[in-house]
Amino acid sequence: MISPQKVRFIKLGEKGRWEASCIEEKTLRLGYESPHYADERSGNWTAVRSFWLAARGGDEGAATRDVNQIRDFYELGEDDVWITFHTGRLYWCRASKDVIKLEDGSRIRRAVQGWSSTDVNGRQLRVENIDGRVTKVQGYRGTICSLETLEMQTYLVRKINGLGVGEVERARRSLHVLKARIEHLIKGLWWHDFELLIDLVLAKSGWQRFSVMGKTQKDIDLDLYSPTTRKRAFVQIKSSTTREELLDYASKFQSYPDFDEMYFIYHTSNSDLSDIAMEPHIHVWGLDQISSLVIGAGLVEWLINKRS
């Protein structure tokens, strides 16, 4: 678990040119090359500011921003947290106190235990799963900045510690309850209505029917075509099934050369089917996946009305 006083975003080089090397070498790297390395180490920020004020042509605001970023690089403690972004993931680390000057004039700190793109429980910290108020720092024009608010810093620390956000966890619990209710409703559908539900789910996913339902072809409940992938699939829908029946249809699929994929969809089985190894183009959907798809496709109200 981490408990930093401060969290800072650092841009590792112009346009991120040092990102990969810093992550690999377990370092943080700062440009801002100047002859004042000794003053920076000793905390003589007046001398450092004079240099950058001259370098910025007397622009007080720019010089202040420069010095504040350089001071952060030198003064953040070993328990404080640095973040950056690379290949669609958030990386974080803590840095050893010592600042080392490289031959090109840039400075580095060593990342304690290296950079990590996972939380403390090993879950990936992907950009798409992180609050946009955190990820927007990627657009910062400078080098080092804090998060916009203390609330966002607290959120990020909890994220890294693998702790849920209160309202998110409550929503997850509610979704879990909803899925359980949806599964119960699905299992109570008349077989014809179950087929209709699956037809709607697949249509919402972009599949188009070649033929109407009603078993117009032997072994096939739905004959589908995807205009996006240009693939054709046949679907077998079962309210109740067995391992033997699944394996039988998987074998039959091999005798249909016109189809690229097969979907075997059911809501009840006399045994667990999840351990059956299938070829990549054979898809098996059980009740858990169907309920998630019903929610994602916006068919909850349809299902409620059908069972009312």
Side-chain angles (χ1 to χ4, degrees):
M1 302 288 280
I2 61 169
S3 55
Q5 293 293 315
K6 297 177 181 177
V7 175
R8 293 291 186 270
F9 164 75
I10 182 167
K11 184 180 293 182
L12 297 171
E14 185 179 1
K15 297 182 179 179
R17 63 190 177 97
W18 293 332
E19 287 172 0
S21 61
C22 282
I23 290 168
E24 180 180 352
E25 296 165 8
K26 303 178 182 179
T27 60
L28 294 80
R29 188 169 178 180
L30 179 74
Y32 279 114
E33 296 85 357
S34 82
H36 290 274
Y37 174 60
D39 290 321
E40 292 165 359
R41 286 177 60 88
S42 66
N44 184 3
W45 298 111
T46 300
V48 175
R49 189 178 191 283
S50 294
F51 172 84
W52 286 104
L53 182 62
R56 300 302 186 191
D59 187 327
E60 297 272 355
T64 298
R65 289 190 293 274
D66 292 337
V67 173
N68 286 343
Q69 292 174 75
I70 298 168
R71 285 191 69 167
D72 271 350
F73 189 79
Y74 277 81
E75 295 183 351
L76 256 67
E78 293 187 350
D79 290 329
D80 292 323
V81 167
W82 296 88
I83 65 169
T84 197
F85 296 88
H86 180 61
T87 62
R89 293 174 182 163
L90 179 144
Y91 282 79
W92 66 276
C93 74
R94 289 169 289 187
S96 60
K97 189 65 177 172
D98 194 32
V99 177
I100 303 166
K101 182 179 179 181
L102 300 182
E103 291 184 1
D104 66 355
S106 63
R107 281 75 156 143
I108 64 167
R109 289 177 66 172
R110 300 290 180 187
V112 178
Q113 298 178 335
W115 288 94
S116 174
S117 63
T118 65
D119 67 16
V120 297
N121 297 318
R123 289 188 291 262
Q124 289 288 338
L125 296 169
R126 300 184 184 278
V127 169
E128 62 267 25
N129 296 326
I130 298 173
D131 194 305
R133 289 171 291 181
V134 171
T135 60
K136 74 175 186 178
V137 296
Q138 296 175 89
Y140 180 62
R141 294 185 178 181
T143 301
I144 295 171
C145 71
S146 60
L147 300 181
E148 191 173 70
T149 64
L150 180 59
E151 177 189 4
M152 283 298 100
Q153 177 171 310
T154 301
Y155 159 82
L156 181 60
V157 171
R158 288 183 64 84
K159 187 82 172 176
I160 292 172
N161 282 329
L163 303 174
V165 178
E167 58 267 30
V168 173
E169 290 306 305
R170 287 191 292 273
R172 282 196 178 121
R173 288 194 293 270
S174 296
L175 181 59
H176 180 74
V177 172
L178 176 61
K179 279 184 89 281
R181 305 288 190 198
I182 293 301
E183 289 176 9
H184 185 71
L185 291 176
I186 291 172
K187 291 183 75 171
L189 285 171
W190 178 45
W191 70 265
H192 186 274
D193 289 335
F194 180 55
E195 287 193 349
L196 179 56
L197 175 64
I198 298 306
D199 186 29
L200 291 170
V201 167
L202 290 165
K204 291 275 189 177
S205 303
W207 289 98
Q208 298 175 354
R209 269 194 283 131
F210 261 11
S211 63
V212 297
M213 290 191 301
K215 305 186 185 298
T216 55
Q217 297 184 58
K218 185 180 179 182
D219 302 326
I220 300 175
D221 288 337
L222 292 176
D223 181 350
L224 304 176
Y225 175 73
S226 170
T228 303
T229 63
R230 296 186 177 182
K231 289 184 177 181
R232 192 175 173 189
F234 88 65
V235 182
Q236 182 58 227
I237 304 169
K238 297 291 182 182
S239 295
S240 180
T241 193
T242 64
R243 293 172 67 91
E244 293 72 23
E245 189 169 44
L246 168 57
L247 293 172
D248 181 49
Y249 274 102
S251 177
K252 288 178 179 178
F253 170 65
Q254 309 302 329
S255 63
Y256 285 87
D258 292 334
F259 291 93
D260 305 290
E261 298 182 10
M262 167 188 157
Y263 287 81
F264 187 89
I265 303 172
Y266 70 98
H267 67 58
T268 302
S269 174
N270 63 355
S271 63
D272 182 19
L273 306 183
S274 62
D275 64 337
I276 301 178
M278 288 292 169
E279 297 180 29
H281 47 270
I282 299 178
H283 312 280
V284 181
W285 290 0
L287 191 57
D288 180 70
Q289 185 163 3
I290 297 168
S291 62
S292 296
L293 290 168
V294 166
I295 294 170
L299 292 167
V300 173
E301 187 173 1
W302 181 94
L303 180 60
I304 291 172
N305 290 335
K306 181 60 70 173
R307 286 296 315 275
S308 296

